[in-house]
Structures are given as structure tokens and as C-alpha cells.
Amino acid sequence: MQKLLKLAIPVLGLALLTYSCQKDRSTDLAVDVVPQEVIDQLTHMGFNPDGIERVEEGYRIERDIIITDEFLNSKVDRHFVPNLEQYSTNNLVTTNGNRVITMYAPEGGRNGYSAGMIAGLDLAIERYNDENLGISFQRISNSNQADIVMTRLKKGDERRGVLGSAGFPTASGDPYDEIKMSGILESSYGLSTEGIATIIAHEMGHCIGFRHTDYFDRSISCGGGTANEGASTVGANHIPGTPTGATASAKSFMLACTDGGDRPFNNDDKTALNYLY
């Protein structure tokens, strides 16, 4: 995982300004009803359940964050989070000094990605690797050996503007193992390789422990009224060295919504990446 501008992109975590991480509830699409006890549990865990959806992996909140049933039933730890700019989850990826995170994405066919989408993935990987972190990424050709598999969203989700979704690292220090991405960012939205790379890098950011830069007020990048996604039990910990507040003009790659343009890591993003890894 909102409509922002008129062509902005919530990546379901990022929202197309006009397409979104949020989702338009089309009348021709059936949406599974979320049990009230699940909504109550997410609220108890500190999340804002507005816009929650039932998906194959469990539930989707914040427009692009996946909450599995396993996580939903885990122990709750409370965390107070100040309104500062860059945030990470409590769980991070264990690097042991230098960890290569492998990624796989199917190419071509009904459920695969176009050459343009694959080029966007490769550029996203390049952006992370250029930072010389304690983690690096590598695209491989065998899904069974991949730490993160990129799979196509359902056609219905793609049609209603969902751009992507991912979860957070595990308690054992592994990255979240799946990124679901729209396969029509190029063909239907006309996004450039750089724009596609920005959205994929955003979801990769969630997989290694980044919250939205403006999680405390999505309206900063998404417009509309003030909307706090909730600190939650996964944590939304301020990263030292990053400034207070968040602005759309700073163009952090982890802002909740985007206009579909190119957002390479800004200086604060780089500070956050280097602090964590």
C-alpha cells in the first residue's frame, strides 16, 4: 500500500496521487469484511485501522503494509514515538557485517513483469548498493533461493490503483519475504524507470524496517485531512541525525504518497540508511 494529486502514487504505502496505496473501493470489486475483533486488536497494538483490507497474507493497512495473522497474534509491546522525521521498526535485518539480500521477480507472461518493470527493480537495487551499507541486494533467477520475491498484485488491485505492498522484518532478523507490485506502472501509468525504481525501493524499505517518513501525518504527502498511521507495536523509532518534521518538498523515498516521479535517496534518507545499516 491513496489519491493524491491526480496522478500521484500512494505506494500503497506510497500512494499515486491519484492512484493510491489507499484504495478506491470500486463497486464491481468484492472486499472481504474484516472482523471487528481484528480491527480492535490492531487498534490495541497502536495501528490506525482506517482503510484496512483483507488480503491473502492477512491484512493490509497504511495502504501498503502487510500484517500477517502470526504478527497479529504476537506479544504486544508499547512504544511512544515523537513526531520526528525518519523512523524505523523495532525489528531490523541482521547483517553480521555484510549481508546480501537476494531478490527474484518473474519476467514476462501473464503474471510476470515487463522489461521496464525489471529495469526499475534493478535501478532500485543499484541505489541501495551505491550506499555501501552493511546490507546489499542482488537479483537472482531462482525464486526458491530468494530472500524477497516480487509478485504481481491481483488484477483487481492493479485496476483500482494499488501500487505495491510489503511487510516488516521478522523477529529473527530476516527481511520481509514478499513484495507485491503492480505490473502496470509502465503500461498504464506511463511511469519512467526512475519512477518505478522509487516505488520498488519504497517497498524494499519496508522489508528492511522503514516506516513512512510522514507516518504521523500522511496528509504531508497525500493531502487531505491529518491522518496518523499509529506508532504501533512494530515501532516507529526516530533515527538519530535526521531532522524533525517532514515535508513533501524533501521528497523522501519513504513518504506515504508520491506523484510517480523520481525520488532517489535524499541526504536524510542516506543518513537513516547508514545509521541502520
Side-chain angles (χ1 to χ4, degrees), residues 6-47:
K6 272 273 153 84
L7 214 211
I9 301 181
V11 158
L12 244 157
L14 251 198
L16 257 199
L17 288 186
T18 255
Y19 307 110
S20 82
C21 281
Q22 185 168 275
K23 58 185 180 204
D24 299 340
R25 290 186 176 277
S26 302
T27 55
D28 61 336
L29 294 174
V31 178
D32 291 343
V33 175
V34 177
Q36 185 60 46
E37 56 266 29
V38 170
I39 295 175
D40 292 342
Q41 176 67 358
L42 286 169
T43 300
H44 178 65
M45 297 175 83
F47 287 107

Side-chain angles (χ1 to χ4, degrees), residues 54-172:
R54 188 73 167 99
V55 293
E56 291 177 341
E57 310 94 306
Y59 302 92
R60 185 165 58 206
I61 61 173
E62 299 182 13
R63 313 304 183 263
D64 74 330
I65 301 301
I66 298 300
I67 299 294
T68 64
D69 289 323
E70 179 181 4
F71 174 79
L72 195 61
N73 295 320
S74 63
K75 179 182 177 182
V76 173
D77 292 315
R78 291 281 180 184
H79 295 271
F80 172 76
V81 184
N83 288 355
L84 301 176
E85 184 168 356
Q86 299 283 354
Y87 306 91
S88 69
T89 55
N90 298 327
N91 293 338
L92 297 174
V93 175
T94 301
T95 67
N96 294 320
N98 186 14
R99 180 170 183 175
V100 178
I101 298 174
T102 54
M103 299 186 66
Y104 169 81
E107 301 181 53
R110 178 178 175 78
N111 295 314
Y113 294 99
S114 66
M117 287 292 297
I118 296 299
L121 171 58
D122 287 340
L123 179 56
I125 289 174
E126 179 182 324
R127 288 180 174 180
Y128 278 98
N129 291 349
D130 283 348
E131 297 306 309
N132 297 313
L133 307 170
I135 57 172
S136 60
F137 292 88
Q138 178 183 3
R139 183 164 65 90
I140 62 175
S141 59
N142 188 332
S143 62
N144 294 325
Q145 296 176 356
D147 296 308
I148 301 174
V149 175
M150 197 167 91
T151 59
R152 286 284 295 266
L153 284 163
K154 291 182 177 180
K155 303 301 182 184
D157 280 340
E158 290 184 337
R159 287 194 296 269
R160 62 197 177 96
V162 175
L163 305 182
S165 65
F168 297 125
T170 66
S172 59

Side-chain angles (χ1 to χ4, degrees), residues 154-219:
K154 291 182 177 180
K155 303 301 182 184
D157 280 340
E158 290 184 337
R159 287 194 296 269
R160 62 197 177 96
V162 175
L163 305 182
S165 65
F168 297 125
T170 66
S172 59
D174 291 318
Y176 188 75
D177 62 4
E178 182 180 29
I179 292 174
K180 287 196 170 182
M181 286 295 302
S182 170
I184 60 174
L185 300 182
E186 177 188 28
S187 60
S188 294
Y189 300 150
L191 298 193
S192 65
T193 298
E194 291 77 14
I196 293 169
T198 296
I199 295 171
I200 296 176
H202 176 105
E203 298 305 341
M204 291 167 67
H206 284 315
C207 290
I208 63 173
F210 276 89
R211 291 292 301 268
H212 291 149
T213 303
D214 56 346
Y215 95 92
F216 58 88
D217 183 3
R218 290 177 59 88
S219 69

